Amino acid sequence: MLEQQLVNGLTLGLIYALIAVGYTMVYGVIELINFAHGEVYMFGAFLCMMFLTVFGAPLIVAVLLSMVCCALMGVLLDVVAYRPLRNAPRLAALITAIGMSIFLQNLAMIIWGSRPLPFVKEALPAFFKVTALSFGDVKISWMQMTIYIVAVALMILLNLIITKTRTGTAMRALAQNRVCASLMGINVNRVIAFTFALGSGLGAMAGIMVSMFYNTMYPTMGYNAGVKAFAAAVLGGIGSVPGAMFGGVVLGIAETLGAGYVSSPYRDGVAYAIMILVIILRPSGLLGRAVTEKA
Amino acid sequence: MLELHDIHTYYGNIHALKGVSLRVEKGEIVCLIGANGAGKTTTLMSISGVTPPRQGAVTFLGEDVTRCTTEKIVSRGITQVPEGRMIFPRLTVRENLLMGAYLRKDKNGIKAGEERAYELFPVLRERRSQMGGTLSGGEQQMLAIGRALMAQPALLLLDEPSLGLAPMVVENIFEIIEQINAEGVTVMLVEQNAQMALQISHRGYVLETGAVTLEGPAADLLADPKVRSAYLGLD
């Protein structure tokens, strides 16, 4: 029982982690909570479904296309909604983010209707149902294995991009001192757009995997997942990428354990209770840095 | 090489530069001295395009760069070592240097530039895998200069390189500035330490509340009674 909960919690947690890195990276570079990030995640699922059904694309192609489209959508969000407000008070950008979230949710409802749709089952490879590992009563399906592998691989890739590439280093430089980054000749807007693209692509992948795993997608799915992933980012220390990964996994496991041992309707309550506890005891998050306010 | 023609820069409604005109010739070290709040840093930030002037013109190598983005200005050959050094605290020393070469594409040139920075400042080689934020003030200033040189600037803008450093370290930094200049980099130096700045400069400008009030060869300024009493604390 416990083991099975852990397995399911890890699945959920890795997905939260994939969404949470999008929040934390954007926060890192422009100190904005991009509330529309959950909607990008939702679009990831729907666009993937659309590429599968309307264009009859193979699964991998549909997934990649959906990620690319969502990456572009993230960039568009930044350029259209946030860039004009870069030097405005932070509250203006925050409200805009909430507005974009509502707008995108409604856009999805217009396109795909408001009722939940199933994932295109025929597109999934048959082996997804097969049990990959089982010890005792615990079973891990190949679909879950795939989620683990893809999520971990993407996070390793993200980490390499951030730590090893020129643009990734520029992202970190920008997060640490924007004026000085521009004095290096870094095109600040371009690097911010790249950050949005990266986070949105990963968010899309998370949306696709969730809709596969639960076999459902609906226009408001981004809200709950978005809030949870945001909580995960805060739990890990907002602005810290490893923190978001760790926070996602912790939150996912806490939530499933809460559902299993406390009571299923309390699953969200348990998740948020943990977040609140961490914030009270360690305001900078589990892996965050304590930031002293600049005078 | 660089010419500011009557530039006016504002922060919101605050009129920070009220018509600054000055020029820097190729190969020179020119210093800009003045009290706190006179507009020295704003002048450099206006040249770099961080706070573009609202009126007036900045020309560099015969081209108008007044409305250029910072990125364009850096790519034309003007780099700045900002006040307070602005080292990226959570990038390693090496990563800080590489950020200085952000716009360069020639891998071998960048490698050579990095070597050059380590030759100028051997302590940076020892510390190259350390986070920038762990360096001492003097080391950070060295890193900031090394980083700026990575862009192979034609004109190097230095903002208060002596700020908060021990006299020995200041002397060392100023020697390096002279050496860099001797190797062909034109330097514009902003300093509160007027004595040191005027000693290594060819010419100087005195800035007071957003306008140039005095200019001339550095030796003349050093001898000027007004400069001596107001900025050198002499007489």
Side-chain angles (χ1 to χ4, degrees):
Chain A
M1 177 65 183
L2 172 67
E3 291 83 354
Q4 188 67 50
Q5 299 285 7
L6 287 175
V7 166
N8 294 340
L10 188 62
T11 314
L12 196 60
L14 284 170
I15 284 168
Y16 286 157
L18 272 186
I19 314 172
V21 288
Y23 279 105
T24 224
M25 283 196 297
V26 165
Y27 185 84
V29 293
I30 54 174
E31 299 195 355
L32 167 75
I33 307 296
N34 175 19
F35 277 113
H37 188 54
E39 276 56 51
V40 174
Y41 151 94
M42 174 267 293
F43 265 86
F46 275 99
L47 288 174
C48 179
M49 190 250 330
M50 195 184 77
F51 288 126
L52 287 172
T53 53
V54 181
F55 302 108
L59 182 63
I60 295 196
V61 176
V63 167
L64 291 178
L65 273 178
S66 166
M67 285 175 81
V68 171
C69 287
C70 284
L72 291 176
M73 194 169 150
V75 174
L76 201 66
L77 257 180
D78 174 45
V79 172
V80 172
Y82 306 140
R83 190 178 294 179
L85 298 171
R86 204 81 88 208
N87 297 315
R90 245 190 273 170
L91 196 57
L94 198 68
I95 292 167
T96 306
I98 295 172
M100 288 314 289
S101 158
I102 296 170
F103 167 74
L104 290 174
Q105 245 178 53
N106 284 277
L107 182 66
M109 283 187 210
I110 292 171
I111 305 175
W112 293 292
S114 55
R115 265 185 292 181
L117 296 177
F119 198 83
V120 194
K121 273 218 185 95
E122 306 78 59
L124 296 179
F127 75 90
F128 266 25
K129 287 213 184 82
V130 179
T131 304
L133 284 174
S134 68
F135 27 96
D137 296 340
V138 184
K139 289 194 170 58
I140 305 176
S141 70
W142 268 110
M143 190 193 283
Q144 273 177 309
M145 274 308 257
T146 310
I147 292 176
Y148 294 166
I149 294 168
V150 169
V152 170
L154 283 178
M155 282 188 273
I156 292 173
L157 183 69
L158 174 69
N159 211 41
L160 287 176
I161 291 175
I162 293 175
T163 54
K164 301 281 182 240
T165 67
R166 171 172 166 271
T167 310
T169 313
M171 264 171 71
R172 285 181 291 143
L174 179 57
Q176 293 171 30
N177 191 328
R178 197 194 298 182
V179 169
C180 191
S182 75
L183 286 175
M184 300 292 106
I186 294 171
N187 184 325
V188 169
N189 280 332
R190 202 180 301 151
V191 174
I192 293 173
F194 176 77
T195 309
F196 271 91
L198 212 53
S200 301
L202 296 184
M205 189 69 219
I208 296 166
M209 293 198 298
V210 159
S211 62
M212 264 184 209
F213 189 62
Y214 292 115
N215 192 30
T216 182
M217 62 187 81
Y218 44 98
T220 53
M221 68 190 269
Y223 176 74
N224 214 3
V227 172
K228 290 281 185 51
F230 172 56
V234 172
L235 180 69
I238 190 90
S240 154
V241 172
M245 296 175 181
F246 185 61
V249 172
V250 169
L251 200 72
I253 290 175
E255 189 182 319
T256 21
L257 290 184
Y261 289 98
V262 184
S263 155
S264 166
Y266 283 119
R267 59 187 310 154
D268 294 351
V270 172
Y272 293 127
I274 290 188
M275 185 190 86
I276 291 168
L277 269 180
V278 170
I279 292 177
I280 290 172
L281 298 174
R282 222 184 119 75
S284 54
L286 293 172
L287 302 185
R289 278 172 310 106
V291 180
T292 43
E293 274 298 315
K294 280 180 204 146
Chain B
M1 180 176 218
L2 175 79
E3 198 165 346
L4 308 193
H5 183 74
D6 191 32
I7 62 166
H8 292 256
T9 301
Y10 295 77
Y11 290 108
N13 289 324
I14 299 164
H15 196 173
L17 296 187
K18 301 165 185 163
V20 172
S21 299
L22 55 82
R23 69 191 159 78
V24 180
E25 300 298 341
K26 192 169 166 27
E28 278 188 316
I29 300 181
V30 171
C31 72
L32 191 58
I33 57 177
N36 258 337
K40 304 186 300 289
T41 296
T42 307
T43 305
L44 292 194
M45 287 301 182
S46 296
I47 297 170
S48 286
V50 176
T51 56
R54 218 180 269 180
Q55 284 171 51
V58 180
T59 52
F60 181 63
L61 298 172
E63 279 178 87
D64 184 13
V65 296
T66 322
R67 301 278 169 268
C68 284
T69 60
T70 306
E71 182 195 4
K72 279 266 156 53
I73 288 167
V74 174
S75 71
R76 298 243 168 124
I78 305 180
T79 58
Q80 185 183 150
V81 179
E83 184 178 9
R85 312 180 255 282
M86 293 198 189
I87 292 304
F88 300 115
R90 292 176 306 284
L91 295 190
T92 63
V93 166
R94 179 155 186 274
E95 284 171 335
N96 266 284
L97 287 175
L98 292 180
M99 281 295 100
Y102 187 76
L103 291 175
R104 286 175 67 182
K105 298 278 184 281
D106 53 327
K107 276 216 166 110
N108 293 328
I110 295 173
K111 193 103 204 77
E114 193 189 338
E115 269 310 306
R116 176 80 191 109
Y118 295 148
E119 274 165 33
L120 275 176
F121 306 108
V123 64
L124 296 183
R125 188 195 301 274
E126 289 164 38
R127 305 225 187 284
R128 66 182 180 276
S129 329
Q130 242 172 274
M131 290 294 160
T134 65
L135 302 190
S136 73
E139 289 163 352
Q140 288 194 2
Q141 189 62 59
M142 294 173 192
L143 177 54
I145 295 174
R147 184 177 66 180
L149 290 176
M150 291 292 286
Q152 287 188 308
L155 172 63
L156 182 66
L157 309 175
L158 289 158
D159 197 348
E160 301 271 8
S162 75
L163 194 75
L165 301 184
M168 286 266 289
V169 182
V170 174
E171 218 151 293
N172 181 263
I173 298 267
F174 274 70
E175 272 166 27
I176 298 274
I177 295 171
E178 283 188 289
Q179 188 185 335
I180 292 165
N181 176 252
E183 286 167 16
V185 180
T186 307
V187 175
M188 182 168 172
L189 177 65
V190 156
E191 262 299 342
Q192 288 207 43
N193 189 339
Q195 178 85 40
M196 283 294 272
L198 286 169
Q199 271 169 11
I200 68 163
S201 298
H202 301 103
R203 289 187 305 113
Y205 291 84
V206 177
L207 205 60
E208 270 172 44
T209 57
V212 172
T213 53
L214 209 61
E215 61 177 280
D220 293 3
L221 290 180
L222 270 173
D224 188 282
K226 268 195 295 184
V227 174
R228 286 175 73 86
S229 68
Y231 300 107
L232 303 176
L234 302 170
D235 299 343

